[in-house]
Amino acid sequence: MSGATSFTSIPIVDIGGLQSTVAGDRDRVAAELGAAARDVGFFYVSGTGIDEALFERMLAATRQFFALPLEEKMRSYIGLSRCHRGYVPVGEEGVETGTPDVKEAFDTALDLPDDDPDYLAGNPMLGPNTWPELDGFAEAVTAYYDAVLAVGHRLLRAFAVALGEDPDVFSRHATKTPSQLRLVHYPYNPDAADVLGIGAHTDYECFTLLKPTGPGLEVLNGAGEWIDVPPMPGTYVVNIGDLLELWTNGAFVATSHRVRKVVEERYSFPLFFNVDYDTEVRPLPQFVPAGAAERPALRAGEHLFAQTAQTFRYLRDRVDSGELVLPDGALQTGQFGQQAIHGAGQQVS
């Protein structure tokens, strides 16, 4: 079975056993994760071990930031960053669809020093974070980032085991990753009943670990139906991204999802778990039958950058002006998951 199944509910997997010293416990959890990834592509995980207090401190800091006047928030505008970090105002995203997203955000990632060689060389997704002048904000966000990233590393190994591969087949490529943590705010909007907060899309990385504060998330099943994914106490939502779909040649499908009907104020915190920027991702041999066509390889960071550059207004403007050039072989958005199940990916360069 694949992620194209007509599921009507989202499974829950307790991943506490991934930290067990008993190999059988780890293997059992890995098998459950593999089944969920193949059949649905979206699932809840419990037993992460993340201290709820870390989340609450980060949420409080996020509320404080988004309550600032727009002029103050724009001092951290993402367009001022050389490595895609900072404040994302309402309308900045979604321009590739013609319908800008109804949300604001603050983007962070691995916080590298100013003298990091990749940053100095001009890497568009690696470098130092942009931090507002807000007491405790950087500390609260960083502590949460570190905790949820550690869970991501455990999941990455478990996915390899679920596929019958060496546990390090993916993890050996996760040493300095452009894994992004987004702090997303959907403001109260009484007219939002029929407005998309975020349009249908897949995520560009390996997988996503998400914790939202309210409903609105929906996932597309194989029958073309949108299924609600409401928050569940004590859990995180995990969904498969483009790179695991490519690595498995479609055995794991990057399930398309969207956010709808955001009426009440809502916060959402996705951690997009990636592998190292220069990692070449191509289907593993076990997923390519003899004589069958193989999906073209992508470089993990270049795929992330190309998709990001087509989604954010400030980057699209730079591409249109010739200041930025998309990587060779860059795909248009919407080339993975259910949106692309009946069509081949198209290149934009």
Side-chain angles (χ1 to χ4, degrees):
M1 304 292 284
S2 77
T5 59
S6 300
F7 58 87
T8 57
S9 62
I10 309 302
I12 304 173
V13 180
D14 184 343
I15 63 170
L18 293 181
Q19 299 188 84
S20 172
T21 57
V22 179
D25 293 339
R26 301 193 299 273
D27 291 345
R28 173 184 52 78
V29 176
E32 292 181 22
L33 289 170
R38 287 185 177 92
D39 295 343
V40 181
F42 249 76
F43 47 94
Y44 299 98
V45 294
S46 60
T48 63
I50 297 175
D51 186 351
E52 187 67 19
L54 286 178
F55 176 77
E56 292 298 332
R57 284 197 294 272
M58 190 259 309
L59 175 59
T62 300
R63 290 183 189 276
Q64 188 178 6
F65 173 78
F66 284 122
L68 293 172
L70 179 60
E71 179 182 357
E72 182 70 21
K73 290 183 286 191
M74 287 297 287
R75 293 180 182 177
S76 302
Y77 176 52
I78 196 164
L80 302 175
S81 167
R82 289 168 43 200
C83 56
H84 196 66
R85 314 293 170 88
Y87 175 63
V88 182
V90 172
E92 176 73 31
E93 291 180 79
V95 291
E96 82 285 1
T97 65
T99 305
D101 292 344
V102 183
K103 70 176 188 302
E104 58 182 342
F106 194 94
D107 286 9
T108 71
L110 184 66
D111 198 8
L112 297 170
D114 290 340
D115 61 355
D116 176 80
D118 288 308
Y119 177 62
L120 293 177
N123 187 292
M125 306 302 290
L126 292 171
N129 281 333
T130 295
W131 297 117
E133 295 181 6
L134 202 61
D135 287 346
F137 183 87
E139 292 78 9
V141 173
T142 299
Y144 179 78
Y145 178 87
D146 290 344
V148 75
L149 192 72
V151 174
H153 279 286
R154 295 201 294 273
L155 287 174
L156 191 65
R157 291 178 61 86
F159 284 132
V161 172
L163 294 167
E165 297 282 345
D166 185 286
D168 292 326
V169 70
F170 305 132
S171 295
R172 67 172 63 104
H173 301 294
T175 63
K176 182 183 179 181
T177 73
S179 299
Q180 299 175 307
L181 172 64
R182 307 203 73 196
L183 321 177
V184 186
H185 176 222
Y186 300 87
Y188 171 72
N189 184 351
D191 300 321
D194 294 316
V195 175
L196 289 177
I198 301 180
H201 65 287
T202 60
D203 293 339
Y204 314 141
E205 299 85 353
C206 292
F207 58 86
T208 302
L209 271 159
L210 168 72
K211 193 169 181 68
T213 63
L217 180 63
E218 297 179 336
V219 58
L220 188 65
N221 71 9
E225 301 165 330
W226 288 101
I227 308 300
D228 284 332
V229 187
M232 293 190 64
T235 71
Y236 288 72
V237 177
V238 175
N239 63 271
I240 300 302
D242 295 350
L243 297 186
L244 278 181
E245 178 177 316
L246 179 56
W247 249 320
T248 63
N249 208 33
F252 288 1
V253 172
T255 312
S256 303
H257 54 287
R258 69 185 184 186
V259 176
R260 285 188 61 83
K261 301 179 181 177
V262 180
V263 176
E264 300 301 326
E265 185 177 40
R266 176 179 182 268
Y267 294 86
S268 181
F269 302 95
L271 183 284
F272 301 103
F273 195 97
N274 212 337
V275 285
D276 295 337
Y277 191 93
D278 290 324
T279 302
E280 184 181 67
V281 179
R282 63 170 63 249
L284 294 164
Q286 64 162 299
F287 296 105
V288 184
E294 178 181 313
R295 293 191 185 192
L298 293 172
R299 290 197 179 277
E302 289 183 354
H303 178 60
L304 169 62
F305 173 64
Q307 300 298 293
T308 302
Q310 295 174 72
T311 305
F312 282 75
R313 184 181 303 277
Y314 86 96
L315 289 172
R316 282 176 66 93
D317 289 346
R318 293 178 187 176
V319 170
D320 291 343
S321 70
E323 181 184 347
L324 280 179
V325 178
L326 295 181
D328 290 340
L331 298 177
Q332 293 178 349
T333 57
Q335 302 305 305
F336 286 84
Q338 301 300 343
Q339 294 165 292
I341 219 78
H342 299 296
Q346 299 178 18
Q347 293 185 350
V348 295
S349 66

